[in-house]
Amino acid sequence: MITRETIDKVFETARVEEVIGDFVQLKRAGSNYKGLSPFSDERSPSFMVSPVKQIWKDFSSGKGGSVVTFLMEHEHFTYPEAIRFLANKYNIEIEETETSQEDKIEANEKESMYLVSEFAKTYFHDTLLNTEEGKAIGLSYFKERGFTNETIAKFGLGYSPETWDVFTKEALSKGYQLDYLEKVGLTILREDGKHFDRFKGRVMFPIQSLSGRNLGFGGRILTNDKKAAKYLNSPESEIYHKSKVLYGIFHAKQAIAKQNNCYLVEGYTDVIQLHQAGIENVVASSGTALTPDQIRLINRLTKNITVLFDGDAAGLRASIRGIDLILEEGMNVKVCTFPDGDDPDSFAKKNSYEDLVLYLENNAKDFIQFKASLLMDEANNDPIKKADLIRDMVVSISKIPDRIKREIYIQECSRIMDISEQVLLNTLAQLVQKDISEAGKKLKQEQKAFEVVKNEPLIQHEKVNIVYELERKLIEMLLLYGSQEADFDDFILKANDDGEMIEEKESSTEKVHRRIYLSLQEDEVELANPLFKELYNDLISYYNQNEEFNIEHYLMQLSSEHSAIVTDILMLEEKELLHNWEAKNIYVKSKNQNVSQYVSETIVSLREYLINKLIMDLMQSYSSEEENDLQELMTTINDYNKLKVNLTNKIGRIRSTYL
């Protein structure tokens, strides 16, 4: 197990904005940063990072927490893995105590699959470099491609031996289970119980996640076996989803964010060769058709994509469909093709970095220009084909969510195709109207499933859960002001010299957390919401052990569920910044009451609400017709009502005291 000292050092050193900045493109918003949510599909940023508080909050999904929580949520790390990742990033030496057998057994299935995949990566890379077969076949192939030793090490390239089950036997001898080898697709298990290696006789390309975890492999065969696929990918598994992964994203993420552009290519070697040439902001779809999930992965880092084509006609047509998907996500697309006979791999190999950069800059066309020139070649002055291609162009433009961009592209299309803007605008309007009509039909179909009874009101306003709001306020006060001292005023009934009972104001200075605790203890109040109750007990315990409240230290011990609540409360001000109310001429009223008033009013309001609930429960539970039972009930309710009046008066006195 990792020692407490190491964990504390990681939390002290790691910067939430730096770590999250590797996964999400962040832009400064005052003293904070904001970006697109990595947990949901959105076009307006609702993801906030606070460098001062060292926390993050995703208002679209409700998730939030510390830098460790982010890695656990985004990369599905376990807590120790997140600590190890951060320690490695910040060059912190990890001190460990011996791991118990129970801890090893508790490693979940998903984690076991990651471990198997990581072992395979190491095995294939070692086989490439340190065995006769690996060097003679695999290493010589990579050297022929022009890859240096540094590049081979950087991308963890490897080789799987030609023998049927040598890898599987090695993995089993190291204690890895056959079940997990099969689940990640490294081993194929036959019905007769025999097994063999999926990637035998292939050079191996490890496929990594955004954080660098090994998810799967691509394997290329080097023989001329026509029955075998040239490239073979890992099958879909719990850790590898082909449509959600981009090859090279781990090595490219920082360069993409820095350059504010992503080059998109087709194959593994295209990515590797461009990296070696100095172009690092490049990823590949790994031979699959581009998917919305892959586009959104890039969208977190930049709004700009440049698609690099090798000029193959069939490939170009297929890639054009991918361009429409990119446009739908509201991104900017450019296209660059290479001279006949060249692809990104071969072109990068025979050109210097300076020449390569210059070529990409000079030959990257806006998608509308590229598509127009490509389709015009196909139309070959045929008026019918030209009409079809113009419609095709407008279909692409209709995918763009931004109306201003759509109009600019219509103007450009009009100029290139020599056709009036009005005709194009009319065609665009028809397409947009068609989309709206189809969306309307879909909405009506969905509404049928939720039809209401005719006599019921069409609009039902959701009732405010008062006790939930009050309990949430208590947690908010403990988080924001718990360690502060404040002056509290109490109103005590005392007898004067004439024997009359009068109220006297007594003042005391107390820590806010102590005031809240003693007040709830006095009334024997327990919070109703289970999560708030757990947080309340946890916070009181924390304050009893610590003089000051340290958010980073506190978040270390919280579950993701509790972290989401805590960060939601701590990021209230940032949430208001996202709305930008003032720009809409809406001015949010700020709290002008002091902490004492806020605490006192909330506690008294909770008491008042609970008394109201008691009265309602008593009235609903009464069913007896006995007169003495009714009399006893009415006496009890009357006593409660008197107490309620006193509490209402007390709220008034609190407000007048602090005005």
Side-chain angles (χ1 to χ4, degrees):
M1 292 178 65
I2 302 171
T3 62
R4 170 54 58 187
E5 290 75 17
T6 300
I7 293 172
D8 289 342
K9 193 170 183 180
V10 165
F11 270 91
E12 288 168 9
T13 309
R15 301 295 302 169
V16 67
E17 68 275 19
E18 291 175 353
V19 176
I20 294 178
D22 286 344
F23 300 89
V24 181
Q25 187 182 31
L26 298 173
K27 293 183 178 179
R28 188 166 281 283
S31 61
N32 302 299
Y33 291 91
K34 66 179 179 180
L36 293 174
S37 166
F39 303 107
S40 61
D41 179 19
E42 65 177 15
R43 294 195 175 99
S44 297
S46 68
F47 184 86
M48 296 292 290
V49 177
S50 171
V52 175
K53 299 171 185 173
Q54 281 298 295
I55 58 175
W56 60 277
K57 182 66 186 178
D58 178 25
F59 293 102
S60 66
S61 67
K63 296 177 180 180
S66 66
V67 63
V68 169
T69 313
F70 177 83
L71 292 171
M72 292 173 72
E73 290 283 356
H74 190 270
E75 293 302 305
H76 306 291
F77 283 165
T78 60
Y79 186 87
E81 283 181 322
I83 296 296
R84 289 179 193 281
F85 176 88
L86 292 170
N88 182 60
K89 179 178 175 67
Y90 289 97
N91 297 315
I92 297 169
E93 187 178 348
I94 297 176
E95 296 177 5
E96 294 189 70
T97 57
E98 190 174 343
T99 306
S100 68
Q101 188 61 32
E102 290 76 15
D103 290 332
K104 291 178 183 176
I105 293 171
E106 285 178 4
N108 60 28
E109 180 173 305
K110 200 169 184 180
E111 183 53 33
S112 297
M113 292 170 75
Y114 279 123
L115 292 173
V116 165
S117 189
E118 193 60 41
F119 166 76
K121 178 188 172 187
T122 304
Y123 172 84
F124 294 138
H125 186 62
D126 185 65
T127 301
L128 177 81
L129 300 178
N130 300 313
T131 67
E132 291 303 317
E133 183 184 346
K135 287 187 281 189
I137 301 174
L139 190 58
S140 63
Y141 167 77
F142 287 130
K143 291 291 185 179
E144 285 171 14
R145 299 303 299 241
F147 299 156
T148 63
N149 291 335
E150 291 76 15
T151 298
I152 290 168
K154 179 179 181 179
F155 285 89
L157 304 179
Y159 176 74
S160 179
E162 182 67 35
T163 313
W164 279 101
D165 60 354
V166 64
F167 162 73
T168 302
K169 283 182 177 177
E170 179 67 14
L172 292 173
S173 72
K174 297 293 184 185
Y176 295 98
Q177 295 179 30
L178 184 62
D179 184 37
Y180 296 126
L181 290 166
E182 184 189 18
K183 282 180 177 177
V184 296
L186 288 162
T187 301
I188 296 174
L189 191 63
R190 298 197 319 197
E191 290 183 4
D192 61 5
K194 292 183 179 179
H195 50 71
F196 59 92
D197 301 341
R198 179 182 295 274
F199 294 105
K200 82 175 190 71
R202 292 176 182 266
V203 287
M204 303 297 289
F205 300 86
I207 300 169
Q208 294 172 284
S209 71
L210 200 63
S211 67
R213 303 197 89 182
N214 209 70
L215 306 175
F217 296 89
R220 188 194 192 282
I221 199 166
L222 300 179
T223 62
N224 294 321
D225 186 353
K226 293 182 179 178
K227 293 181 181 179
K230 183 178 178 181
Y231 277 97
L232 184 66
N233 271 29
S234 292
E236 293 280 313
S237 72
E238 185 71 20
I239 63 173
Y240 178 59
H241 304 283
K242 190 186 297 184
S243 65
K244 297 181 179 180
V245 177
L246 286 163
Y247 181 74
I249 190 71
F250 171 64
H251 296 293
K253 60 187 179 184
Q254 290 182 337
I256 291 170
K258 186 177 179 179
Q259 303 290 335
N260 196 22
N261 182 44
C262 177
Y263 289 113
L264 181 64
V265 296
E266 187 178 348
Y268 305 123
T269 57
D270 294 327
V271 170
I272 297 169
Q273 200 68 254
L274 283 166
H275 259 268
Q276 186 168 284
I279 306 293
E280 296 190 343
N281 52 326
V282 56
V283 297
S285 56
S286 303
T288 63
L290 195 63
T291 68
D293 283 325
Q294 289 173 330
I295 297 165
R296 288 174 199 137
L297 196 58
I298 299 170
N299 198 8
R300 296 178 198 169
L301 302 169
T302 181
K303 281 283 184 185
N304 305 302
I305 293 181
T306 302
V307 185
L308 305 184
F309 290 136
D310 59 12
D312 173 69
L316 288 176
R317 290 294 295 177
S319 299
I320 281 178
R321 290 190 289 274
I323 288 174
D324 285 354
L325 287 175
I326 297 170
L327 292 171
E328 280 184 26
E329 294 299 322
M331 299 180 73
N332 307 313
V333 192
K334 286 188 176 181
V335 180
C336 181
T337 57
F338 293 95
D340 288 344
D342 268 326
D343 56 22
D345 179 357
S346 62
F347 192 80
K349 194 189 304 184
K350 61 189 182 187
N351 283 278
S352 67
Y353 170 75
E354 291 75 16
D355 290 341
L356 188 55
V357 170
L358 193 63
Y359 182 87
L360 293 173
E361 287 178 353
N362 293 338
N363 291 274
K365 296 179 182 177
D366 190 273
F367 92 93
I368 201 80
Q369 295 173 323
F370 171 77
K371 194 167 184 178
S373 61
L374 181 70
L375 296 178
M376 282 295 282
D377 289 341
E378 290 185 7
N380 198 22
N381 296 322
D382 184 326
I384 295 175
K385 285 185 177 179
K386 185 176 179 181
D388 288 341
L389 82 86
I390 290 171
R391 174 170 283 275
D392 197 348
M393 301 271 285
V394 178
V395 166
S396 288
I397 294 171
S398 72
K399 305 291 183 187
I400 301 169
D402 189 292
R403 291 181 64 183
I404 295 174
K405 280 187 183 178
R406 282 208 304 257
E407 188 156 342
I408 290 169
Y409 278 122
I410 285 290
Q411 292 171 0
E412 184 68 7
C413 186
S414 170
R415 184 186 65 78
I416 294 170
M417 308 305 294
D418 191 24
I419 189 169
S420 73
E421 279 185 40
Q422 194 56 50
V423 170
L424 295 177
L425 285 169
N426 290 342
T427 307
L428 178 64
Q430 289 172 8
L431 290 169
V432 172
Q433 186 58 47
K434 183 182 177 184
D435 288 342
I436 293 171
S437 177
E438 288 176 356
K441 286 177 184 176
K442 186 179 178 182
L443 183 62
K444 284 181 181 178
Q445 289 173 352
E446 290 173 354
Q447 285 175 338
K448 284 181 182 178
F450 298 99
E451 282 185 350
V452 293
V453 180
K454 288 181 181 179
N455 294 331
E456 283 188 17
L458 291 176
I459 300 174
Q460 295 182 348
H461 296 286
E462 187 181 348
K463 292 181 180 178
V464 176
N465 187 334
I466 298 172
V467 72
Y468 175 91
E469 295 299 332
L470 289 170
E471 289 181 356
R472 192 179 189 280
K473 275 190 177 184
L474 287 174
I475 302 300
E476 178 187 330
M477 290 183 291
L478 285 170
L479 286 168
L480 298 177
Y481 317 116
S483 58
Q484 290 184 22
E485 285 192 340
D487 295 325
F488 293 95
D489 292 322
D490 291 311
F491 300 92
I492 312 298
L493 283 173
K494 287 187 177 180
N496 62 12
D497 295 338
D498 298 326
E500 293 179 298
M501 298 301 292
I502 59 171
E503 274 189 339
E504 283 190 7
K505 185 170 76 171
E506 289 188 356
S507 297
S508 61
T509 302
E510 284 183 277
K511 288 278 182 88
V512 169
H513 73 84
R514 179 174 170 79
R515 179 70 174 195
I516 292 172
Y517 174 74
L518 292 176
S519 297
L520 297 190
Q521 282 287 99
E522 182 185 336
D523 294 326
E524 298 182 350
V525 173
E526 278 199 356
L527 274 62
N529 183 288
L531 285 174
F532 289 159
K533 183 179 178 180
E534 290 168 8
L535 271 175
Y536 171 79
N537 291 332
D538 197 52
L539 280 163
I540 294 299
S541 175
Y542 182 91
Y543 281 118
N544 286 336
Q545 297 173 46
N546 301 276
E547 281 294 315
E548 296 296 326
F549 181 72
N550 183 305
I551 181 58
E552 293 176 54
H553 186 263
Y554 182 65
L555 283 171
M556 284 168 58
Q557 62 198 38
L558 293 184
S559 67
S560 58
E561 203 171 16
H562 288 144
S563 286
I565 296 172
V566 169
T567 51
D568 192 47
I569 291 169
L570 293 175
M571 299 280 271
L572 284 174
E573 292 177 11
E574 285 78 1
K575 190 174 185 179
E576 296 303 326
L577 284 174
L578 278 176
H579 289 300
N580 195 16
W581 294 120
E582 290 188 12
K584 303 171 186 175
N585 293 322
I586 301 172
Y587 297 93
V588 181
K589 186 180 179 182
S590 62
K591 291 175 187 170
N592 55 9
Q593 59 198 121
N594 61 31
V595 174
S596 304
Q597 180 185 358
Y598 190 36
V599 171
S600 300
E601 273 195 29
T602 304
I603 292 170
V604 173
S605 297
L606 181 59
R607 285 175 178 168
E608 186 180 24
Y609 174 82
L610 293 174
I611 289 169
N612 269 329
K613 190 175 183 301
L614 277 171
I615 292 171
M616 292 300 296
D617 289 346
L618 283 170
M619 292 174 68
Q620 288 174 1
S621 65
Y622 177 73
S623 60
S624 174
E625 295 180 1
E626 292 291 330
E627 188 176 335
N628 59 337
D629 288 348
L630 178 61
Q631 185 63 40
E632 186 180 338
L633 176 69
M634 294 309 296
T635 302
T636 304
I637 290 174
N638 191 43
D639 289 341
Y640 278 135
N641 277 324
K642 286 178 182 177
L643 183 56
K644 193 173 75 170
V645 170
N646 287 336
L647 288 172
T648 305
N649 291 336
K650 187 171 184 179
I651 290 176
R653 287 192 294 274
I654 291 168
R655 286 175 179 161
S656 63
T657 299
Y658 293 111
L659 284 176

